[in-house]
Amino acid sequence: MDQRGQHRRAVIAGLGMTDMGKIYGRTSAQLAGEAIRLAVKDAGLRLSDVDGLLTNTGLYGGTDMYAGKDIGLRDLRLQSQVQAFGSSAGVMVQYAALAVESGAADAIVCVFSDTPLHPGERTGASYSGKGRVSGGIPAIGYATGMRGAPTMYAMAARRHMLTYGTTSQQLGAVAVAARQWAAMNPQAQFRQTLTLEEHQDSRVVADPFHLFDCCTVSNGGIAILITTADRATDLAQPSVHLWGWGQAHPGRLHARGSNFGLEGPGRESSTSALSMAGITVDDIDIAQLYDCFTFTTLLTLEDYGFCPRGEGGPFVASGAIAPGGSLPVNTGGGQLSSYYMWGMTPLSEGIIQARGHGGDRQVAKNDLIAVSGNGGYMDFHSTLVLSPHDPKE
Amino acid sequence: MEPGQFGKITRDSASTEFFDAAVQGQLVLPQCRHCAAWQPLTTQICTACDHHDLIWSPASGRGSVVTWTIVPDPTVEPDGQRVMVLIELHEGPWLVTRLVGDGATDVRHAMPVTISFVTPPGGEPLPLAIGESSNDQLDDQVA
């Protein structure tokens, strides 16, 4: 029988999530192990059924190639570390799907875990630029005061504001909406109501960003298991089908003519994924978007074509992305309000919604779900299109 | 390292000539030997003609502000605000650095700036931006 035939089409069959947030006393590798065991159990499989492992080790790199044996995985036919920053989750899923479909492995686990929070340290210290390069020309930004993601993303947002008139209040609408969804998510770190006034009054982190423009920081781990559609029909959970995937890494030049802050690689990445799926952006029912900052959500909405270029501000301010709006976005609260597991945040919520397991926050029309992954300073992007339905039906 | 202080960079093989010129107070940028196009600071090939033959050439040191952010930072004198800017140098390449000197917190789009080097003890010279209307002269050595 043809190894690459329809019967080997890949689906997501397992999801495992540790406790997330201020979780201390466990290493990144231990969190990865726990997430993997939870994903395997969720699928109704055993650890010995896993024959492929992809790991994304976050900022602190605590889960390396040797962690697999400690986690209890043996005789793997596929294993590597994947580092595409925030686009990693979508990238891991794509490579796992391709591997399963080729016959290289049958049940592949993709895991993210990280321990950026340390007892006694300020939350903001975690992502202040530790671990970045310390030599040569690439170090100039950090050495002169560009300390981590908020500075660069704030500059990107400022450029968007200068060009399109986007306002801080419009960014605040993204934060308010995320919190409204988080209120219905028992696993969210922040569930209390956030008003626009509270967003505006919160301290400035890097102008124009207030505290609530920035995502949370979390220790924890999330793993997903990918196997063939045929095998998954006998397993414990409703299969989550992969209708399409894409990536875009533009290699944007740091020079005159750059579209930094004005456009992101989401345009090309989503075009690839939607084209593979045979659909348009108008067919998407739910968007799970990487929201390290409110601005990232806004730019991605424009990039994907959910609203016209430059009009992300009015679009989010209209309430479209909040509960009851025309386009549910980040229905678990996103990275802004639920948990920051890089691209596993939007992906996990996409899986939950596709399965119909969203509880109070379940969106009734869940046929096609877009999941974005954003890495670097909007430099690296991945897109998945998920569905509860088999694409061949 | 306190946030307000400048960090110590060590040079690598790709930045020897950049920092040699910086020690002399001269900004150099990569330029294509084949077509003379100016290149972003870290590129290895010409972005205009694909030749792999770049030379570090003296640049004007002038540029203008594309975008910025102001970061509350109590360790920064005099008013606790660190102004980070994304500069478009006159020749085209971009540079992220700190805007210093009087008037820095009045940063605005298209503000003209010049590059001036300061050297943290034990580190390589850092290119900082000063507004052209600023009256400050930077001390080369800073704590």
Side-chain angles (χ1 to χ4, degrees), chain B residues 7-118:
Chain B
K8 285 183 278 217
I9 294 182
T10 52
R11 62 173 61 188
D12 59 15
S13 311
S15 56
T16 304
E17 289 152 274
F18 177 87
F19 288 118
D20 280 347
V23 165
Q24 307 299 322
Q26 172 69 57
L27 176 70
V28 294
L29 298 172
Q31 188 177 30
C32 178
R33 220 191 289 254
H34 183 79
C35 75
W38 294 95
Q39 309 300 322
L41 276 158
T42 57
T43 193
Q44 295 176 17
I45 70 163
C46 178
T47 54
C49 74
D50 290 336
H51 276 74
H52 182 240
D53 191 8
L54 304 181
I55 184 171
W56 289 98
S57 301
S60 67
R62 296 198 328 275
S64 65
V65 173
V66 174
T67 183
W68 70 90
T69 182
I70 300 179
V71 182
D73 180 356
T75 68
V76 173
E77 308 268 320
D79 53 7
Q81 299 196 79
R82 179 175 6 124
V83 183
M84 298 304 298
V85 288
L86 193 158
I87 303 284
E88 183 170 297
L89 296 165
H90 172 72
E91 293 80 3
W94 281 9
L95 179 70
V96 171
T97 187
R98 193 185 309 193
L99 183 68
V100 294
D102 59 65
T105 50
D106 294 329
V107 60
R108 66 187 186 282
H109 177 67
M111 176 192 260
V113 299
T114 56
I115 298 298
S116 188
F117 290 95
V118 295

Side-chain angles (χ1 to χ4, degrees), chain A residues 267 301-302 305-312 315:
Chain A
R267 165 68 46 89
L301 289 165
E302 293 183 1
F306 289 116
C307 65
R309 177 65 62 197
E311 295 186 22
F315 181 70

Side-chain angles (χ1 to χ4, degrees), chain A residues 134-137 139-140 142-147 151 154-155 158-159 162 204-207 253-256 258 260, chain B residues 3 5-7 9-10 12 15 47 56 66-72 82 84 86 88-90 92 94 97-98 128:
Chain A
S134 60
I137 288 164
I140 289 174
Y142 181 81
T144 57
M146 198 285 286
R147 299 290 148 75
T151 319
M155 288 202 277
R158 171 63 59 193
R159 195 175 190 215
L162 290 166
V204 172
V205 168
D207 167 71
L253 296 179
H254 206 47
R256 178 175 296 141
S258 164
F260 173 75
Chain B
Q5 294 176 348
F6 297 109
I9 294 182
T10 52
D12 59 15
S15 56
T47 54
W56 289 98
V66 174
T67 183
W68 70 90
T69 182
I70 300 179
V71 182
R82 179 175 6 124
M84 298 304 298
L86 193 158
E88 183 170 297
L89 296 165
H90 172 72
W94 281 9
T97 187
R98 193 185 309 193
L128 303 185

Side-chain angles (χ1 to χ4, degrees), chain A residues 21 27 47 49 62 175 190 224 229 276-277 286 292 296 306 318 335 348 374 382 388 390:
Chain A
T27 65
L47 209 58
D49 292 316
F190 300 99
I224 68 163
M276 186 186 296
I286 308 170
C292 48
T296 320
F306 289 116
S318 74
Q335 295 160 351
S348 59
N374 159 83
S382 63
D390 186 325

Side-chain angles (χ1 to χ4, degrees), chain A residues 37-370:
Chain A
R37 288 188 290 277
L38 289 166
V40 168
K41 184 172 176 203
D42 179 66
L45 288 169
R46 296 157 303 172
L47 209 58
S48 56
D49 292 316
V50 175
D51 63 355
L53 173 64
L54 296 174
T55 58
N56 175 227
T57 65
L59 210 58
Y60 285 76
T63 308
D64 67 8
M65 290 291 283
Y66 290 107
K69 64 167 174 44
D70 294 331
I71 288 168
L73 299 170
R74 311 269 170 255
D75 300 316
L76 296 177
R77 299 165 63 205
L78 177 148
Q79 183 182 0
S80 77
Q81 293 175 240
V82 172
Q83 184 57 289
F85 302 118
S87 71
S88 296
V91 164
M92 286 195 287
V93 168
Q94 294 177 39
Y95 296 157
L98 290 167
V100 161
E101 293 183 6
S102 76
D106 292 318
I108 300 174
V109 168
C110 307
V111 62
F112 170 90
S113 65
D114 205 4
T115 52
L117 294 174
H118 305 105
E121 266 185 21
R122 276 180 49 248
T123 301
S126 319
Y127 274 76
S128 62
K130 273 187 225 171
R132 299 299 297 275
V133 293
S134 60
I137 288 164
I140 289 174
Y142 181 81
T144 57
M146 198 285 286
R147 299 290 148 75
T151 319
M152 283 304 290
Y153 277 81
M155 288 202 277
R158 171 63 59 193
R159 195 175 190 215
H160 198 277
M161 291 171 155
L162 290 166
T163 306
Y164 297 119
T166 306
T167 67
S168 172
Q169 288 85 352
Q170 288 164 343
L171 296 180
V174 175
V176 169
R179 191 62 70 86
Q180 289 175 310
W181 288 108
M184 299 182 278
N185 181 1
Q187 288 174 298
Q189 287 175 222
F190 300 99
R191 302 181 61 191
Q192 66 273 35
T193 304
L194 176 72
T195 66
L196 184 58
E197 188 178 353
E198 286 166 341
H199 169 272
Q200 294 286 287
D201 287 345
S202 66
R203 68 178 173 88
V204 172
V205 168
D207 167 71
F209 286 165
H210 294 265
L211 179 66
F212 294 119
D213 285 303
C214 308
C215 70
T216 186
V217 183
S218 318
N219 291 353
I222 295 182
I224 68 163
L225 187 145
I226 289 177
T227 187
T228 63
D230 280 1
R231 186 175 195 185
T233 55
D234 297 328
L235 296 181
Q237 301 294 345
S239 293
V240 176
H241 296 268
L242 297 162
W243 278 43
W245 56 73
Q247 296 181 33
H249 312 286
R252 190 190 302 120
L253 296 179
H254 206 47
R256 178 175 296 141
S258 164
N259 62 9
F260 173 75
L262 305 179
E263 296 181 18
R267 165 68 46 89
E268 289 77 16
S269 179
S270 62
T271 298
S272 293
L274 294 169
S275 171
M276 186 186 296
I279 63 174
T280 72
V281 68
D282 297 330
D283 296 313
I284 297 294
D285 299 308
I286 308 170
Q288 309 295 353
L289 305 180
Y290 197 100
D291 59 336
C292 48
F293 300 96
T294 51
F295 176 70
T296 320
T297 303
L298 190 152
L299 191 68
T300 305
L301 289 165
E302 293 183 1
D303 286 342
Y304 278 41
F306 289 116
C307 65
R309 177 65 62 197
E311 295 186 22
F315 181 70
V316 298
S318 74
I321 65 172
S326 58
L327 178 73
V329 171
N330 293 348
T331 55
Q335 295 160 351
L336 290 170
S337 284
S338 64
Y339 42 85
Y340 188 44
M341 293 279 104
W342 286 18
M344 286 296 190
T345 302
L347 176 55
S348 59
E349 181 64 13
I351 293 167
I352 289 167
Q353 289 284 338
R355 289 172 167 183
H357 293 172
D360 291 340
R361 67 191 193 278
Q362 179 64 44
V363 178
K365 191 166 194 314
N366 65 346
D367 302 303
L368 289 161
I369 301 171

